[in-house]
Amino acid sequence: SPIGQSLKRREDQRFLTGTGQYTDDVVLPGQTYGVFLRSPYAHARIRAIDVSKAKAAPGVVDIITGADLAEAKVGGPARGWLIHSKDGSPMKGPPHPVLAQGKVRHVGDQVALVVAETQLQAKDAAELIEVDYEELTPVIDTATAAGAGSAVHDDVPGNVCYDWSHGDAAAGEGAFGRAAKAGTLSFVNNRLIPNAIEPRAANAQYTKHDESYTLYVANQNPHVERLLMCAFVLGLPESKVRVIAPDVGGGFGSKIFLYPEETALVWASKRVGRPIKWTADRSEAFLTDAHGRDHVTTAELAMDAQGNFLALRVKTIANMGAYLSTFASSVPTILYATLLAGQYKTPAIHAEVKAVFTNTAPVDAYRGAGRPEATYVVERIVEQAARDMNMNPAEIRRQNFITEFPYATPVGLTYDTGDYAAHLDKALQIADVAGFPARRAASEAKGKKRGLGYSCYIEACGLAPSNIAGALGARAGLFEAGEVRVHPTGTVTVFTGSHSHGQGHETTFAQVVAAKLGIPVENIEIVHGDTGRVPFGMGTYGSRSLSVGGTAIVKAVDKIIAKGKKIAAHLLEAADSDISFENGEFGIAGTDKKVPFGTVALTAYVPHNYPLDKLEPGLNENAFYDPTNFTYPSGSHICEVEVDPETGQTKVEQFVAV
């Protein structure tokens, strides 16, 4: 089987030789270039915008402001997940104009779009735009944003987007009432700024003869981009918009979302009648790509006298930034609070999350999206518990591990399987924790300190199922789609709704199909990232590509094999039920009569000897897969460090991950 073999990644040939095609590589006939004028203020009122000097600058094709979009009744990026506060009220979702209207709300907020013959001409012209700002007091601190005197959005007094809770508060109160020990810890999970190798980019083209649009964009889920843009912002039929995400140089979540820039380009491409390309520079990306995390949290863990966990209470203030990004509302709620059980059989868990608006860049899913934040909370408070109880940090974890599966957590997930003690034991062995006291003594003899840190994590990957996600506020499905098209010569093209931004899908998906069909990997082509070619899919995020996207492809392959058996049965003059398929050959079970996959494929397209009364010609199938649960990978990490107390210099001596 090609699965498990060490193969050279098929896509790396073009990546390593500079022949990949990224959005910035796309140059269309009549190409123009867009540059966004951005706010230098975190919070300011726009009194006036004067574009007269800029419009007269060399090479300028057009300048578009928020007033133009307001006049055209262009909406703003939509919210992909609806959260309700604990009192039942819906979250506050103030408008997010594609170009600022009335106010700017964070440094980097887009104020105008300049379109010119060259990028440099557009940049020069942008500097000539005169904006009269009235600077306002910014709200920038997550911990104090709720109730701050200044309002980020005038229609959201107090700056609170939602005040949400999850779990059984009464059970938690009872457990804390009878606890022998309760530990408390307050900490910040700092904001992260994404920094993909390829910055965000878009190139939009309007075609007049059929009134259609084509958008090339660095995006992780082109179908969702098209859906949100058409349905909620521009009001266009999806059949008139084609979104192509070619090679994408990294994302980790930051390229999931519908951003204002690409929306502005699509609208403007019709106004100017020419394609418009925009590629963010590095500083611009730092200011405007959706950031990650930014939580302020207090956690409390109740224990009995033996160190058994009784209850966990968590209160988090989560920064949404200036506007609600596409899936921002789900990250500190559904993707965070549901993971607060970690690997432990804590009977009662209750979480409260208050989401706040601030005059900072919007925050959304990045590098794990809620799951790492939950692990950080759980493992920090468990480490504190070990110190409070004077117990070995590994042993207090082992004592509280979940050991029986399936296990329904008190925060709504059901873990299907796991063996947490096994990977902790392996990590302890590899890290030689038994020899740590001697190494610590040796460090102390040199005047240095030595310590061990532990983290036992659980992930929820695959993001599923759609019906549960819908009940929790999702406004999109969480399935994946795959189509397998067998050609007359037996070669195969696979169309997947998943998308690759560096993970090697063109190799891994081909391995899966080759293993199922018994044909060479090189006979399989993988197509992704084009709404004009692939079936409607949800893209790539949440560690779902192989578990969800790969399974959809496998289901389509299973349909190919099932039809192939019927064709082979006709060729071999046998019953369908007697036909087996193995190593690329259809055969009659218990005999040496066989017909190769390629022959069956050719027969399907040249049906001279074919059961036309029973089967349609051709060998092309598609499938959709909607998982019934997440997958729950888990592991243990042990880090050993030496610290020089005089200088603070810290050296990582060993890091073990199992």
Side-chain angles (χ1 to χ4, degrees), residues 531-554:
T531 63
R533 299 183 67 190
V534 304
F536 190 102
M538 300 309 297
T540 295
Y541 46 86
S543 304
R544 70 193 305 270
S545 296
L546 200 57
S547 59
V548 186
T551 303
I553 292 169
V554 166

Side-chain angles (χ1 to χ4, degrees), residues 332-603:
T333 52
I334 305 305
L335 299 179
Y336 166 67
T338 56
L339 265 293
L340 288 172
Q343 299 185 1
Y344 309 108
K345 52 181 184 284
T346 311
I349 301 174
H350 184 251
E352 295 181 74
V353 179
K354 183 177 290 185
V356 295
F357 291 111
T358 63
N359 293 114
T360 61
V363 173
D364 209 315
Y366 178 60
R367 294 304 296 262
R371 285 76 58 86
E373 295 93 307
T375 296
Y376 187 66
V377 168
V378 172
E379 289 304 284
R380 286 293 308 276
I381 195 65
V382 167
E383 191 72 20
Q384 183 65 42
R387 298 174 188 182
D388 291 342
M389 299 298 294
N390 197 27
M391 292 180 67
N392 180 286
E395 292 312 308
I396 197 172
R397 287 174 166 86
R398 187 194 312 278
Q399 177 176 309
N400 286 281
F401 277 158
I402 298 162
T403 55
E404 296 182 3
F405 296 89
Y407 176 82
T409 75
V411 279
L413 298 181
T414 298
Y415 300 166
D416 54 350
T417 186
D419 191 347
Y420 309 139
H423 51 62
L424 177 59
D425 289 343
K426 188 68 174 177
L428 291 169
Q429 174 193 339
I430 297 171
D432 185 24
V433 172
F436 174 73
R439 297 192 297 275
R440 179 169 57 189
S443 292
E444 290 176 348
K446 299 184 294 182
K448 296 183 179 180
K449 302 292 185 182
R450 184 176 286 256
L452 280 178
Y454 294 83
S455 181
C456 296
Y457 75 89
I458 190 163
E459 260 264 47
C461 297
L463 294 189
S466 291
N467 55 355
I468 293 177
L472 294 173
R475 301 178 77 183
L478 293 175
F479 58 84
E480 197 47 85
E483 179 182 349
V484 178
R485 190 175 300 171
V486 180
H487 304 294
T489 57
T491 59
V492 173
T493 300
V494 176
F495 301 86
T496 174
S498 292
H499 187 272
S500 177
H501 46 282
Q503 300 95 324
H505 292 172
E506 293 170 36
T507 301
T508 52
F509 287 162
Q511 282 178 281
V512 170
V513 174
K516 289 284 290 183
L517 293 179
I519 62 177
V521 170
E522 54 268 25
N523 284 4
I524 301 165
E525 179 193 12
I526 307 297
V527 177
H528 58 89
D530 184 346
T531 63
R533 299 183 67 190
V534 304
F536 190 102
M538 300 309 297
T540 295
Y541 46 86
S543 304
R544 70 193 305 270
S545 296
L546 200 57
S547 59
V548 186
T551 303
I553 292 169
V554 166
K555 285 182 170 290
V557 172
D558 287 340
K559 293 180 181 180
I560 295 286
I561 294 171
K563 184 174 182 180
K565 285 181 177 181
K566 294 179 180 180
I567 299 171
H570 178 79
L571 294 176
L572 296 171
E573 299 180 340
D576 299 357
S577 57
D578 291 336
I579 300 297
S580 62
F581 181 69
E582 189 175 359
N583 297 326
E585 293 181 317
F586 296 92
I588 302 175
T591 75
D592 59 357
K593 291 185 176 181
K594 296 179 181 179
V595 59
F597 178 77
T599 298
V600 169
L602 184 62
T603 302

